[in-house]
């Protein structure tokens, strides 16, 4: 995608007598530089080890819903924390919705939920505008108010572009795409995919304000991920009452600079399991 965007920008420059006189395209390094040295557009890789030190004035991240891997998370951090040397750095993210199961912990999901929970929110039908003054965050979110992709009127309300017509949306709904894919890509709805094992919104519905372990003597079930070599391990508990409470007992994750020989400390895992069982 970075290559395609760079090529499009380079074509703009080459086809314009004005721009071609002001800018120089350097394909071999992926740069479009102003001749006076006052600005440059750079094509960058998604490797966080190569993204530090740029001090960008403007960062544009496309399809943030798909930035779900640890590598892409670190890339986003490197890109968005490098503007300290600039007077007014800006970050734009442009994206459709992602999988419902990925919302809780994803970059985009956390950003949306934090802004909606703490910001000044204004709703205009399918459009939600939220402003978070402290972090200078402005959110424009078009989301179809439906879970039926064939409700083309509701889907159209989330597509203000004149060329996205109800006929087009109807064709997409009747195509080979899954309902979840149509809702995500054309309605910006966080829909549950075909491989989702929990219904959409179940974690948010069970969210509690309490923290830590439940009181001593509470009857719980423990879930244990027995990973070992160069992996992570977690122990999760769940109460058995009518309104169950899910909590993390402990987790062990490979440190960022750990050697390849690192393994999950099984002795600490066993100790944590024994302690949890005795409670």
């Amino acid at each position: 995608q970075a290559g395609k965007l760079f090529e499009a920008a380079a074509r703009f420059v080459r086809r314009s007598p004005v721009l071609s006189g002001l800018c120089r395209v350097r394909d071999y390094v992926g740069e479009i530089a102003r001749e006076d040295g006052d600005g440059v557009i750079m094509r960058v890789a998604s490797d966080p080890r190569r993204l530090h030190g740029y001090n960008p004035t403007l960062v544009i991240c496309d399809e943030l819903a798909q930035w779900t891997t640890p590598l892409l998370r670190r890339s986003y951090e490197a890109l968005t924390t490098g503007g300290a040397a600039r007077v007014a750095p800006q970050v734009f993210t442009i994206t459709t919705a992602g999988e419902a199961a990925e919302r809780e912990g994803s970059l985009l999901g956390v950003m949306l939920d934090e802004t909606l929970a703490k910001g000044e929110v204004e709703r205009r039908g399918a459009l939600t505008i939220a402003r978070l003054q402290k972090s200078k965050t402005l959110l424009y979110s078009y989301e179809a108010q439906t879970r039926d992709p064939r409700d083309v009127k509701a889907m159209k309300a989330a597509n203000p572009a004149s060329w996205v017509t109800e006929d087009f949306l109807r064709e997409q709904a009747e195509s080979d795409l899954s309902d979840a894919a149509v809702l995500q890509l054309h309605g910006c709805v966080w829909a549950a995919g075909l491989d989702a094992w929990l219904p959409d919104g179940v974690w948010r519905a069970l969210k509690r304000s309490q923290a830590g372990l439940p009181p001593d003597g509470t009857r719980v079930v423990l879930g244990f991920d027995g990973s070992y070599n160069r992996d992570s391990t977690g122990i999760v508990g769940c109460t058995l009452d009518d309104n169950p409470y899910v909590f993390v007992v402990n987790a062990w994750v490979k440190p960022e600079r750990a050697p390849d020989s690192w393994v999950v400390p099984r002795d600490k895992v066993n100790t944590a399991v024994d302690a949890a069982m005795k409670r």
Side-chain angles (χ1 to χ4, degrees):
Q1 284 186 337
K4 292 178 180 178
L5 289 170
F6 177 81
E7 291 168 4
R11 285 197 297 271
F12 274 112
V13 172
R14 291 190 173 110
R15 291 177 180 178
S16 168
V18 175
L19 290 177
S20 59
L22 295 173
C23 303
R24 179 174 299 182
V25 179
R26 300 182 179 129
D27 292 284
Y28 60 97
V29 291
E31 290 184 0
I32 301 174
R34 282 178 48 160
E35 293 285 5
D36 59 12
D38 283 345
V40 62
I41 294 175
M42 305 179 68
R43 180 186 64 213
V44 297
S46 60
D47 186 343
R49 295 169 297 182
R50 301 180 182 181
L51 294 178
H52 290 282
Y54 280 117
N55 293 327
T57 301
L58 172 65
V59 176
I60 302 176
C61 302
D62 190 33
E63 293 299 346
L64 190 63
Q66 310 307 321
W67 293 43
T68 55
T69 67
L71 183 70
L72 289 173
R73 284 174 174 269
R74 292 198 296 272
S75 296
Y76 185 81
E77 292 168 357
L79 287 168
T80 57
T81 58
R86 301 297 181 186
V87 176
Q90 292 182 310
V91 178
F92 285 86
T93 60
I94 309 166
T95 185
T96 55
E99 287 273 353
E102 297 174 348
R103 174 160 184 165
E104 295 294 327
S106 67
L107 283 171
L108 178 61
V110 171
M111 184 186 300
L112 287 172
D113 291 341
E114 284 286 313
T115 306
L116 292 173
K118 300 178 181 179
E120 304 167 6
V121 180
E122 177 184 353
R123 301 188 187 278
R124 304 177 184 175
L127 171 63
T128 298
I129 303 172
R131 300 171 177 86
L132 196 56
Q133 301 293 343
K134 290 185 177 180
S135 63
K136 297 181 180 179
T137 300
L138 175 62
L139 166 71
Y140 269 73
S141 175
Y142 279 95
E143 181 177 354
Q145 304 302 295
T146 183
R147 290 297 185 270
D148 180 5
R150 292 162 186 80
D151 183 358
V152 293
K153 290 189 179 297
M155 294 287 285
K156 172 56 187 172
N159 289 272
S162 60
W163 57 89
V164 180
T165 64
E166 291 186 8
D167 288 339
F168 170 79
L169 293 170
R170 188 175 292 106
E171 290 174 2
Q172 294 299 302
E174 299 300 333
S175 68
D176 293 334
L177 291 172
S178 67
D179 286 356
V182 176
L183 287 168
Q184 290 168 24
L185 300 177
H186 296 297
C188 207
V189 176
W190 290 78
L194 296 176
D195 56 349
W197 66 284
L198 285 175
D200 179 21
V202 66
W203 289 117
R204 288 190 296 277
L206 293 175
K207 194 171 184 179
R208 295 282 189 88
S209 59
Q210 63 191 96
L213 297 175
D216 290 352
T218 303
R219 190 182 179 194
V220 302
V221 172
L222 291 182
F224 171 58
D225 174 14
S227 303
Y228 179 66
N229 189 31
R230 293 179 294 175
D231 206 337
S232 59
T233 286
I235 304 175
V236 177
C238 178
T239 61
L240 299 178
D241 52 18
D242 293 335
N243 191 14
Y245 171 44
V246 179
F247 58 95
V248 176
V249 176
N250 215 326
W252 295 264
V253 181
K254 180 180 178 181
E256 187 171 348
R257 299 181 182 275
D260 291 340
S261 59
W262 184 89
V263 295
V264 173
R266 297 304 290 268
D267 56 333
K268 295 183 179 179
V269 175
N270 292 335
T271 299
V273 172
D274 291 339
M277 292 294 290
K278 291 176 181 179
R279 291 178 64 90

